[in-house]
Amino acid sequence: QQAYRAGHFVRARRLAQQLMDLAPERAAPYVLEGNLLAAANRVAGAALQWSVALRLEPDQPRLLLQVGSYLATTGDLPRARDLLRRADALGASTADSLYQLGLAAYRLGRNEEAIEALERGVAARPELLHVHIMLARCYMRAGRQDLAEQHDRAALALLPDYWPSALAVGYALLNRGEVEAAIQAYTVVVRARPDLPEALYGLGIALIAGNMPEDGLLVLRRARAIDPRHVPILCALGLAYLRLGLRREAEEAVAAAVALAPGSADVLHCQAKLAYAHA
């Protein structure tokens, strides 16, 4: 242990291997060997040594956390969840291990369990961006858009250019009619991802709702150039053309949408708008 703490890893490893020969039933040398391998960025080998130690001493909280967190990153979610829950029951959880537990639970379809773990994690360390991001996804799955937006906003407060949260916040703002704030949120997304059709679509309809139809039309045309088969974009483009009195262009955009999804709600809405304009 002294050699390991002093950074004398070769000597520490030699001593750890001697300990394994002398006391193969003890967990300590395997823990030390795992720590040395982890320090050398050989994480898979480290996890193997920690797993051996855990079999010898199955209630070591630190080992439960180390192996559970490693399994969570490799995708062995059921085992990761079991080990991290055992560590939590022993009072050994950290904000990071609660995040790993929440992530494993979420991916296993245990949404309420994920929320409970993540909320404790964010209460312990509210500055952790990834915990807010994961909570937003959990609350969206639970149908709690208000709480999802709260955590997306917290993520943006920590990292203002984080575009997935800006996209979600922009969508919520636009649905509430908060057009100026929605334009700002979508602008963040478009600045970060100018190739993302959903971002351009949201910004386009927000600009039109904000009485800037010419600007909205330009943005929607960019969105169509990226994804010409995106039916909501085609319909929004048709309505923008119609608002600007460009009926032929509106009919062409709506016809393209009809060819792709003739019975969709977006298409039926656009067709009704066109029929009303003709009348």
PDB file of all heavy atoms in Angstrom, residues 179-217:
ATOM      1  N   VAL A 179     -42.778  32.539 -27.522  1.00  0.00           N
ATOM      2  CA  VAL A 179     -42.110  32.480 -28.815  1.00  0.00           C
ATOM      3  C   VAL A 179     -40.691  33.037 -28.757  1.00  0.00           C
ATOM      4  O   VAL A 179     -39.752  32.424 -29.284  1.00  0.00           O
ATOM      5  CB  VAL A 179     -42.959  33.225 -29.872  1.00  0.00           C
ATOM      6  CG1 VAL A 179     -42.224  33.285 -31.201  1.00  0.00           C
ATOM      7  CG2 VAL A 179     -44.307  32.534 -30.042  1.00  0.00           C
ATOM      8  N   GLU A 180     -40.511  34.191 -28.146  1.00  0.00           N
ATOM      9  CA  GLU A 180     -39.175  34.790 -28.125  1.00  0.00           C
ATOM     10  C   GLU A 180     -38.159  33.891 -27.420  1.00  0.00           C
ATOM     11  O   GLU A 180     -37.030  33.708 -27.892  1.00  0.00           O
ATOM     12  CB  GLU A 180     -39.226  36.159 -27.451  1.00  0.00           C
ATOM     13  CG  GLU A 180     -39.929  37.233 -28.279  1.00  0.00           C
ATOM     14  CD  GLU A 180     -39.800  38.613 -27.647  1.00  0.00           C
ATOM     15  OE1 GLU A 180     -38.935  38.772 -26.751  1.00  0.00           O
ATOM     16  OE2 GLU A 180     -40.559  39.505 -28.046  1.00  0.00           O
ATOM     17  N   ALA A 181     -38.568  33.320 -26.291  1.00  0.00           N
ATOM     18  CA  ALA A 181     -37.669  32.423 -25.565  1.00  0.00           C
ATOM     19  C   ALA A 181     -37.412  31.154 -26.379  1.00  0.00           C
ATOM     20  O   ALA A 181     -36.296  30.614 -26.364  1.00  0.00           O
ATOM     21  CB  ALA A 181     -38.261  32.072 -24.201  1.00  0.00           C
ATOM     22  N   ALA A 182     -38.439  30.689 -27.091  1.00  0.00           N
ATOM     23  CA  ALA A 182     -38.255  29.499 -27.935  1.00  0.00           C
ATOM     24  C   ALA A 182     -37.257  29.778 -29.044  1.00  0.00           C
ATOM     25  O   ALA A 182     -36.404  28.933 -29.364  1.00  0.00           O
ATOM     26  CB  ALA A 182     -39.592  29.060 -28.517  1.00  0.00           C
ATOM     27  N   ILE A 183     -37.345  30.961 -29.653  1.00  0.00           N
ATOM     28  CA  ILE A 183     -36.389  31.331 -30.712  1.00  0.00           C
ATOM     29  C   ILE A 183     -34.967  31.315 -30.162  1.00  0.00           C
ATOM     30  O   ILE A 183     -34.040  30.798 -30.807  1.00  0.00           O
ATOM     31  CB  ILE A 183     -36.746  32.710 -31.296  1.00  0.00           C
ATOM     32  CG1 ILE A 183     -38.045  32.625 -32.102  1.00  0.00           C
ATOM     33  CG2 ILE A 183     -35.613  33.234 -32.186  1.00  0.00           C
ATOM     34  CD1 ILE A 183     -38.583  33.974 -32.548  1.00  0.00           C
ATOM     35  N   GLN A 184     -34.776  31.848 -28.957  1.00  0.00           N
ATOM     36  CA  GLN A 184     -33.442  31.854 -28.353  1.00  0.00           C
ATOM     37  C   GLN A 184     -32.932  30.430 -28.122  1.00  0.00           C
ATOM     38  O   GLN A 184     -31.760  30.121 -28.396  1.00  0.00           O
ATOM     39  CB  GLN A 184     -33.477  32.621 -27.039  1.00  0.00           C
ATOM     40  CG  GLN A 184     -33.736  34.114 -27.193  1.00  0.00           C
ATOM     41  CD  GLN A 184     -33.896  34.814 -25.860  1.00  0.00           C
ATOM     42  OE1 GLN A 184     -33.736  34.203 -24.804  1.00  0.00           O
ATOM     43  NE2 GLN A 184     -34.215  36.097 -25.899  1.00  0.00           N
ATOM     44  N   ALA A 185     -33.824  29.564 -27.620  1.00  0.00           N
ATOM     45  CA  ALA A 185     -33.407  28.185 -27.347  1.00  0.00           C
ATOM     46  C   ALA A 185     -33.052  27.457 -28.647  1.00  0.00           C
ATOM     47  O   ALA A 185     -32.015  26.785 -28.735  1.00  0.00           O
ATOM     48  CB  ALA A 185     -34.519  27.442 -26.613  1.00  0.00           C
ATOM     49  N   TYR A 186     -33.903  27.593 -29.654  1.00  0.00           N
ATOM     50  CA  TYR A 186     -33.621  26.912 -30.921  1.00  0.00           C
ATOM     51  C   TYR A 186     -32.373  27.485 -31.597  1.00  0.00           C
ATOM     52  O   TYR A 186     -31.654  26.761 -32.298  1.00  0.00           O
ATOM     53  CB  TYR A 186     -34.821  27.019 -31.856  1.00  0.00           C
ATOM     54  CG  TYR A 186     -35.907  26.010 -31.575  1.00  0.00           C
ATOM     55  CD1 TYR A 186     -37.199  26.417 -31.231  1.00  0.00           C
ATOM     56  CD2 TYR A 186     -35.659  24.649 -31.663  1.00  0.00           C
ATOM     57  CE1 TYR A 186     -38.204  25.490 -30.985  1.00  0.00           C
ATOM     58  CE2 TYR A 186     -36.653  23.716 -31.416  1.00  0.00           C
ATOM     59  CZ  TYR A 186     -37.919  24.146 -31.077  1.00  0.00           C
ATOM     60  OH  TYR A 186     -38.905  23.228 -30.835  1.00  0.00           O
ATOM     61  N   THR A 187     -32.119  28.765 -31.402  1.00  0.00           N
ATOM     62  CA  THR A 187     -30.910  29.370 -31.984  1.00  0.00           C
ATOM     63  C   THR A 187     -29.658  28.725 -31.405  1.00  0.00           C
ATOM     64  O   THR A 187     -28.666  28.504 -32.126  1.00  0.00           O
ATOM     65  CB  THR A 187     -30.903  30.885 -31.744  1.00  0.00           C
ATOM     66  OG1 THR A 187     -32.055  31.459 -32.389  1.00  0.00           O
ATOM     67  CG2 THR A 187     -29.651  31.528 -32.317  1.00  0.00           C
ATOM     68  N   VAL A 188     -29.686  28.413 -30.101  1.00  0.00           N
ATOM     69  CA  VAL A 188     -28.563  27.712 -29.475  1.00  0.00           C
ATOM     70  C   VAL A 188     -28.328  26.370 -30.173  1.00  0.00           C
ATOM     71  O   VAL A 188     -27.189  25.991 -30.476  1.00  0.00           O
ATOM     72  CB  VAL A 188     -28.838  27.487 -27.969  1.00  0.00           C
ATOM     73  CG1 VAL A 188     -27.804  26.536 -27.358  1.00  0.00           C
ATOM     74  CG2 VAL A 188     -28.830  28.813 -27.232  1.00  0.00           C
ATOM     75  N   VAL A 189     -29.422  25.664 -30.459  1.00  0.00           N
ATOM     76  CA  VAL A 189     -29.303  24.347 -31.091  1.00  0.00           C
ATOM     77  C   VAL A 189     -28.754  24.477 -32.512  1.00  0.00           C
ATOM     78  O   VAL A 189     -27.839  23.750 -32.908  1.00  0.00           O
ATOM     79  CB  VAL A 189     -30.669  23.626 -31.123  1.00  0.00           C
ATOM     80  CG1 VAL A 189     -30.493  22.205 -31.638  1.00  0.00           C
ATOM     81  CG2 VAL A 189     -31.305  23.599 -29.744  1.00  0.00           C
ATOM     82  N   VAL A 190     -29.304  25.410 -33.271  1.00  0.00           N
ATOM     83  CA  VAL A 190     -28.886  25.572 -34.665  1.00  0.00           C
ATOM     84  C   VAL A 190     -27.428  26.013 -34.738  1.00  0.00           C
ATOM     85  O   VAL A 190     -26.687  25.600 -35.638  1.00  0.00           O
ATOM     86  CB  VAL A 190     -29.810  26.572 -35.396  1.00  0.00           C
ATOM     87  CG1 VAL A 190     -29.269  26.917 -36.777  1.00  0.00           C
ATOM     88  CG2 VAL A 190     -31.215  25.975 -35.508  1.00  0.00           C
ATOM     89  N   ARG A 191     -27.016  26.823 -33.785  1.00  0.00           N
ATOM     90  CA  ARG A 191     -25.615  27.248 -33.766  1.00  0.00           C
ATOM     91  C   ARG A 191     -24.690  26.044 -33.538  1.00  0.00           C
ATOM     92  O   ARG A 191     -23.623  25.942 -34.145  1.00  0.00           O
ATOM     93  CB  ARG A 191     -25.404  28.295 -32.671  1.00  0.00           C
ATOM     94  CG  ARG A 191     -24.054  28.992 -32.734  1.00  0.00           C
ATOM     95  CD  ARG A 191     -23.926  30.038 -31.649  1.00  0.00           C
ATOM     96  NE  ARG A 191     -24.916  31.100 -31.808  1.00  0.00           N
ATOM     97  CZ  ARG A 191     -25.788  31.465 -30.890  1.00  0.00           C
ATOM     98  NH1 ARG A 191     -25.824  30.854 -29.728  1.00  0.00           N
ATOM     99  NH2 ARG A 191     -26.651  32.445 -31.120  1.00  0.00           N
ATOM    100  N   ALA A 192     -25.124  25.136 -32.674  1.00  0.00           N
ATOM    101  CA  ALA A 192     -24.307  23.954 -32.378  1.00  0.00           C
ATOM    102  C   ALA A 192     -24.464  22.869 -33.438  1.00  0.00           C
ATOM    103  O   ALA A 192     -23.503  22.168 -33.761  1.00  0.00           O
ATOM    104  CB  ALA A 192     -24.677  23.393 -31.011  1.00  0.00           C
ATOM    105  N   ARG A 193     -25.691  22.725 -33.978  1.00  0.00           N
ATOM    106  CA  ARG A 193     -25.974  21.654 -34.945  1.00  0.00           C
ATOM    107  C   ARG A 193     -26.730  22.212 -36.158  1.00  0.00           C
ATOM    108  O   ARG A 193     -27.939  22.004 -36.305  1.00  0.00           O
ATOM    109  CB  ARG A 193     -26.805  20.562 -34.282  1.00  0.00           C
ATOM    110  CG  ARG A 193     -26.059  19.711 -33.281  1.00  0.00           C
ATOM    111  CD  ARG A 193     -25.018  18.813 -33.947  1.00  0.00           C
ATOM    112  NE  ARG A 193     -25.570  18.044 -35.038  1.00  0.00           N
ATOM    113  CZ  ARG A 193     -26.163  16.859 -34.893  1.00  0.00           C
ATOM    114  NH1 ARG A 193     -26.285  16.330 -33.686  1.00  0.00           N
ATOM    115  NH2 ARG A 193     -26.633  16.201 -35.937  1.00  0.00           N
ATOM    116  N   PRO A 194     -26.026  22.925 -37.027  1.00  0.00           N
ATOM    117  CA  PRO A 194     -26.705  23.483 -38.205  1.00  0.00           C
ATOM    118  C   PRO A 194     -27.174  22.423 -39.187  1.00  0.00           C
ATOM    119  O   PRO A 194     -27.924  22.734 -40.114  1.00  0.00           O
ATOM    120  CB  PRO A 194     -25.626  24.381 -38.835  1.00  0.00           C
ATOM    121  CG  PRO A 194     -24.327  23.811 -38.352  1.00  0.00           C
ATOM    122  CD  PRO A 194     -24.602  23.294 -36.973  1.00  0.00           C
ATOM    123  N   ASP A 195     -26.779  21.170 -38.959  1.00  0.00           N
ATOM    124  CA  ASP A 195     -27.166  20.066 -39.835  1.00  0.00           C
ATOM    125  C   ASP A 195     -28.374  19.298 -39.310  1.00  0.00           C
ATOM    126  O   ASP A 195     -28.768  18.288 -39.902  1.00  0.00           O
ATOM    127  CB  ASP A 195     -25.997  19.093 -39.975  1.00  0.00           C
ATOM    128  CG  ASP A 195     -25.576  18.503 -38.624  1.00  0.00           C
ATOM    129  OD1 ASP A 195     -25.745  19.204 -37.599  1.00  0.00           O
ATOM    130  OD2 ASP A 195     -25.088  17.363 -38.587  1.00  0.00           O
ATOM    131  N   LEU A 196     -28.963  19.757 -38.219  1.00  0.00           N
ATOM    132  CA  LEU A 196     -30.041  19.001 -37.582  1.00  0.00           C
ATOM    133  C   LEU A 196     -31.405  19.507 -38.056  1.00  0.00           C
ATOM    134  O   LEU A 196     -31.817  20.618 -37.706  1.00  0.00           O
ATOM    135  CB  LEU A 196     -29.936  19.143 -36.061  1.00  0.00           C
ATOM    136  CG  LEU A 196     -30.804  18.215 -35.214  1.00  0.00           C
ATOM    137  CD1 LEU A 196     -30.361  16.771 -35.366  1.00  0.00           C
ATOM    138  CD2 LEU A 196     -30.751  18.629 -33.744  1.00  0.00           C
ATOM    139  N   PRO A 197     -32.137  18.710 -38.849  1.00  0.00           N
ATOM    140  CA  PRO A 197     -33.420  19.192 -39.384  1.00  0.00           C
ATOM    141  C   PRO A 197     -34.417  19.590 -38.306  1.00  0.00           C
ATOM    142  O   PRO A 197     -35.142  20.573 -38.467  1.00  0.00           O
ATOM    143  CB  PRO A 197     -33.933  17.996 -40.204  1.00  0.00           C
ATOM    144  CG  PRO A 197     -32.734  17.172 -40.498  1.00  0.00           C
ATOM    145  CD  PRO A 197     -31.808  17.360 -39.337  1.00  0.00           C
ATOM    146  N   GLU A 198     -34.467  18.828 -37.198  1.00  0.00           N
ATOM    147  CA  GLU A 198     -35.431  19.132 -36.142  1.00  0.00           C
ATOM    148  C   GLU A 198     -35.186  20.513 -35.535  1.00  0.00           C
ATOM    149  O   GLU A 198     -36.136  21.218 -35.177  1.00  0.00           O
ATOM    150  CB  GLU A 198     -35.359  18.069 -35.040  1.00  0.00           C
ATOM    151  CG  GLU A 198     -35.877  16.697 -35.446  1.00  0.00           C
ATOM    152  CD  GLU A 198     -34.863  15.893 -36.249  1.00  0.00           C
ATOM    153  OE1 GLU A 198     -33.741  16.394 -36.468  1.00  0.00           O
ATOM    154  OE2 GLU A 198     -35.203  14.774 -36.662  1.00  0.00           O
ATOM    155  N   ALA A 199     -33.912  20.897 -35.426  1.00  0.00           N
ATOM    156  CA  ALA A 199     -33.587  22.208 -34.876  1.00  0.00           C
ATOM    157  C   ALA A 199     -34.017  23.318 -35.831  1.00  0.00           C
ATOM    158  O   ALA A 199     -34.605  24.324 -35.417  1.00  0.00           O
ATOM    159  CB  ALA A 199     -32.086  22.302 -34.600  1.00  0.00           C
ATOM    160  N   LEU A 200     -33.738  23.139 -37.110  1.00  0.00           N
ATOM    161  CA  LEU A 200     -34.135  24.137 -38.103  1.00  0.00           C
ATOM    162  C   LEU A 200     -35.655  24.219 -38.207  1.00  0.00           C
ATOM    163  O   LEU A 200     -36.224  25.307 -38.359  1.00  0.00           O
ATOM    164  CB  LEU A 200     -33.529  23.780 -39.462  1.00  0.00           C
ATOM    165  CG  LEU A 200     -31.998  23.897 -39.533  1.00  0.00           C
ATOM    166  CD1 LEU A 200     -31.467  23.183 -40.767  1.00  0.00           C
ATOM    167  CD2 LEU A 200     -31.572  25.360 -39.539  1.00  0.00           C
ATOM    168  N   TYR A 201     -36.317  23.078 -38.126  1.00  0.00           N
ATOM    169  CA  TYR A 201     -37.784  23.054 -38.155  1.00  0.00           C
ATOM    170  C   TYR A 201     -38.357  23.855 -36.981  1.00  0.00           C
ATOM    171  O   TYR A 201     -39.231  24.714 -37.160  1.00  0.00           O
ATOM    172  CB  TYR A 201     -38.254  21.606 -38.105  1.00  0.00           C
ATOM    173  CG  TYR A 201     -39.727  21.429 -37.832  1.00  0.00           C
ATOM    174  CD1 TYR A 201     -40.682  21.770 -38.781  1.00  0.00           C
ATOM    175  CD2 TYR A 201     -40.162  20.899 -36.620  1.00  0.00           C
ATOM    176  CE1 TYR A 201     -42.034  21.599 -38.527  1.00  0.00           C
ATOM    177  CE2 TYR A 201     -41.508  20.722 -36.360  1.00  0.00           C
ATOM    178  CZ  TYR A 201     -42.435  21.074 -37.311  1.00  0.00           C
ATOM    179  OH  TYR A 201     -43.780  20.900 -37.049  1.00  0.00           O
ATOM    180  N   GLY A 202     -37.850  23.584 -35.778  1.00  0.00           N
ATOM    181  CA  GLY A 202     -38.345  24.309 -34.606  1.00  0.00           C
ATOM    182  C   GLY A 202     -38.088  25.795 -34.699  1.00  0.00           C
ATOM    183  O   GLY A 202     -38.969  26.607 -34.402  1.00  0.00           O
ATOM    184  N   LEU A 203     -36.880  26.162 -35.137  1.00  0.00           N
ATOM    185  CA  LEU A 203     -36.562  27.582 -35.266  1.00  0.00           C
ATOM    186  C   LEU A 203     -37.435  28.230 -36.331  1.00  0.00           C
ATOM    187  O   LEU A 203     -37.924  29.362 -36.150  1.00  0.00           O
ATOM    188  CB  LEU A 203     -35.082  27.756 -35.615  1.00  0.00           C
ATOM    189  CG  LEU A 203     -34.608  29.202 -35.796  1.00  0.00           C
ATOM    190  CD1 LEU A 203     -34.870  30.032 -34.550  1.00  0.00           C
ATOM    191  CD2 LEU A 203     -33.129  29.240 -36.174  1.00  0.00           C
ATOM    192  N   GLY A 204     -37.658  27.515 -37.429  1.00  0.00           N
ATOM    193  CA  GLY A 204     -38.479  28.065 -38.508  1.00  0.00           C
ATOM    194  C   GLY A 204     -39.894  28.374 -38.069  1.00  0.00           C
ATOM    195  O   GLY A 204     -40.400  29.483 -38.297  1.00  0.00           O
ATOM    196  N   ILE A 205     -40.542  27.428 -37.406  1.00  0.00           N
ATOM    197  CA  ILE A 205     -41.933  27.677 -37.000  1.00  0.00           C
ATOM    198  C   ILE A 205     -41.985  28.699 -35.864  1.00  0.00           C
ATOM    199  O   ILE A 205     -42.966  29.440 -35.738  1.00  0.00           O
ATOM    200  CB  ILE A 205     -42.674  26.375 -36.631  1.00  0.00           C
ATOM    201  CG1 ILE A 205     -41.982  25.627 -35.495  1.00  0.00           C
ATOM    202  CG2 ILE A 205     -42.811  25.484 -37.844  1.00  0.00           C
ATOM    203  CD1 ILE A 205     -42.736  24.377 -35.056  1.00  0.00           C
ATOM    204  N   ALA A 206     -40.931  28.750 -35.023  1.00  0.00           N
ATOM    205  CA  ALA A 206     -40.897  29.776 -33.970  1.00  0.00           C
ATOM    206  C   ALA A 206     -40.781  31.170 -34.582  1.00  0.00           C
ATOM    207  O   ALA A 206     -41.448  32.116 -34.135  1.00  0.00           O
ATOM    208  CB  ALA A 206     -39.732  29.510 -33.019  1.00  0.00           C
ATOM    209  N   LEU A 207     -39.957  31.309 -35.611  1.00  0.00           N
ATOM    210  CA  LEU A 207     -39.816  32.607 -36.278  1.00  0.00           C
ATOM    211  C   LEU A 207     -41.127  33.031 -36.932  1.00  0.00           C
ATOM    212  O   LEU A 207     -41.521  34.205 -36.882  1.00  0.00           O
ATOM    213  CB  LEU A 207     -38.702  32.535 -37.320  1.00  0.00           C
ATOM    214  CG  LEU A 207     -37.271  32.486 -36.762  1.00  0.00           C
ATOM    215  CD1 LEU A 207     -36.293  32.081 -37.855  1.00  0.00           C
ATOM    216  CD2 LEU A 207     -36.880  33.838 -36.163  1.00  0.00           C
ATOM    217  N   ILE A 208     -41.812  32.086 -37.542  1.00  0.00           N
ATOM    218  CA  ILE A 208     -43.104  32.402 -38.171  1.00  0.00           C
ATOM    219  C   ILE A 208     -44.119  32.810 -37.107  1.00  0.00           C
ATOM    220  O   ILE A 208     -44.862  33.796 -37.270  1.00  0.00           O
ATOM    221  CB  ILE A 208     -43.603  31.208 -38.994  1.00  0.00           C
ATOM    222  CG1 ILE A 208     -42.691  31.002 -40.217  1.00  0.00           C
ATOM    223  CG2 ILE A 208     -45.043  31.421 -39.450  1.00  0.00           C
ATOM    224  CD1 ILE A 208     -42.895  29.689 -40.919  1.00  0.00           C
ATOM    225  N   ALA A 209     -44.130  32.068 -35.985  1.00  0.00           N
ATOM    226  CA  ALA A 209     -45.037  32.426 -34.891  1.00  0.00           C
ATOM    227  C   ALA A 209     -44.689  33.788 -34.304  1.00  0.00           C
ATOM    228  O   ALA A 209     -45.560  34.479 -33.780  1.00  0.00           O
ATOM    229  CB  ALA A 209     -44.979  31.360 -33.800  1.00  0.00           C
ATOM    230  N   GLY A 210     -43.431  34.189 -34.430  1.00  0.00           N
ATOM    231  CA  GLY A 210     -42.995  35.488 -33.940  1.00  0.00           C
ATOM    232  C   GLY A 210     -43.115  36.589 -34.975  1.00  0.00           C
ATOM    233  O   GLY A 210     -42.449  37.624 -34.844  1.00  0.00           O
ATOM    234  N   ASN A 211     -43.944  36.371 -36.006  1.00  0.00           N
ATOM    235  CA  ASN A 211     -44.199  37.361 -37.063  1.00  0.00           C
ATOM    236  C   ASN A 211     -42.940  37.721 -37.865  1.00  0.00           C
ATOM    237  O   ASN A 211     -42.739  38.861 -38.252  1.00  0.00           O
ATOM    238  CB  ASN A 211     -44.828  38.636 -36.473  1.00  0.00           C
ATOM    239  CG  ASN A 211     -46.223  38.389 -35.928  1.00  0.00           C
ATOM    240  OD1 ASN A 211     -47.032  37.708 -36.576  1.00  0.00           O
ATOM    241  ND2 ASN A 211     -46.504  38.901 -34.740  1.00  0.00           N
ATOM    242  N   MET A 212     -42.125  36.703 -38.090  1.00  0.00           N
ATOM    243  CA  MET A 212     -40.960  36.851 -38.958  1.00  0.00           C
ATOM    244  C   MET A 212     -41.016  35.762 -40.037  1.00  0.00           C
ATOM    245  O   MET A 212     -40.160  34.883 -40.102  1.00  0.00           O
ATOM    246  CB  MET A 212     -39.667  36.765 -38.150  1.00  0.00           C
ATOM    247  CG  MET A 212     -39.454  37.934 -37.208  1.00  0.00           C
ATOM    248  SD  MET A 212     -37.941  37.788 -36.206  1.00  0.00           S
ATOM    249  CE  MET A 212     -38.543  36.767 -34.863  1.00  0.00           C
ATOM    250  N   PRO A 213     -42.072  35.791 -40.871  1.00  0.00           N
ATOM    251  CA  PRO A 213     -42.279  34.686 -41.815  1.00  0.00           C
ATOM    252  C   PRO A 213     -41.170  34.552 -42.842  1.00  0.00           C
ATOM    253  O   PRO A 213     -40.850  33.430 -43.262  1.00  0.00           O
ATOM    254  CB  PRO A 213     -43.625  35.023 -42.473  1.00  0.00           C
ATOM    255  CG  PRO A 213     -43.806  36.491 -42.264  1.00  0.00           C
ATOM    256  CD  PRO A 213     -43.148  36.804 -40.963  1.00  0.00           C
ATOM    257  N   GLU A 214     -40.592  35.666 -43.300  1.00  0.00           N
ATOM    258  CA  GLU A 214     -39.518  35.567 -44.299  1.00  0.00           C
ATOM    259  C   GLU A 214     -38.309  34.833 -43.710  1.00  0.00           C
ATOM    260  O   GLU A 214     -37.732  33.945 -44.357  1.00  0.00           O
ATOM    261  CB  GLU A 214     -39.090  36.953 -44.796  1.00  0.00           C
ATOM    262  CG  GLU A 214     -40.162  37.679 -45.599  1.00  0.00           C
ATOM    263  CD  GLU A 214     -41.097  38.500 -44.721  1.00  0.00           C
ATOM    264  OE1 GLU A 214     -40.971  38.400 -43.463  1.00  0.00           O
ATOM    265  OE2 GLU A 214     -41.945  39.220 -45.271  1.00  0.00           O
ATOM    266  N   ASP A 215     -37.946  35.189 -42.471  1.00  0.00           N
ATOM    267  CA  ASP A 215     -36.833  34.505 -41.820  1.00  0.00           C
ATOM    268  C   ASP A 215     -37.166  33.036 -41.586  1.00  0.00           C
ATOM    269  O   ASP A 215     -36.325  32.145 -41.785  1.00  0.00           O
ATOM    270  CB  ASP A 215     -36.499  35.170 -40.485  1.00  0.00           C
ATOM    271  CG  ASP A 215     -35.961  36.585 -40.662  1.00  0.00           C
ATOM    272  OD1 ASP A 215     -35.376  36.867 -41.729  1.00  0.00           O
ATOM    273  OD2 ASP A 215     -36.119  37.401 -39.741  1.00  0.00           O
ATOM    274  N   GLY A 216     -38.397  32.781 -41.147  1.00  0.00           N
ATOM    275  CA  GLY A 216     -38.817  31.401 -40.920  1.00  0.00           C
ATOM    276  C   GLY A 216     -38.773  30.580 -42.192  1.00  0.00           C
ATOM    277  O   GLY A 216     -38.346  29.415 -42.181  1.00  0.00           O
ATOM    278  N   LEU A 217     -39.191  31.191 -43.305  1.00  0.00           N
ATOM    279  CA  LEU A 217     -39.180  30.494 -44.586  1.00  0.00           C
ATOM    280  C   LEU A 217     -37.757  30.102 -44.984  1.00  0.00           C
ATOM    281  O   LEU A 217     -37.503  28.980 -45.435  1.00  0.00           O
ATOM    282  CB  LEU A 217     -39.808  31.374 -45.668  1.00  0.00           C
ATOM    283  CG  LEU A 217     -39.831  30.796 -47.089  1.00  0.00           C
ATOM    284  CD1 LEU A 217     -40.636  29.511 -47.140  1.00  0.00           C
ATOM    285  CD2 LEU A 217     -40.397  31.831 -48.057  1.00  0.00           C
TER     286      LEU A 217
END
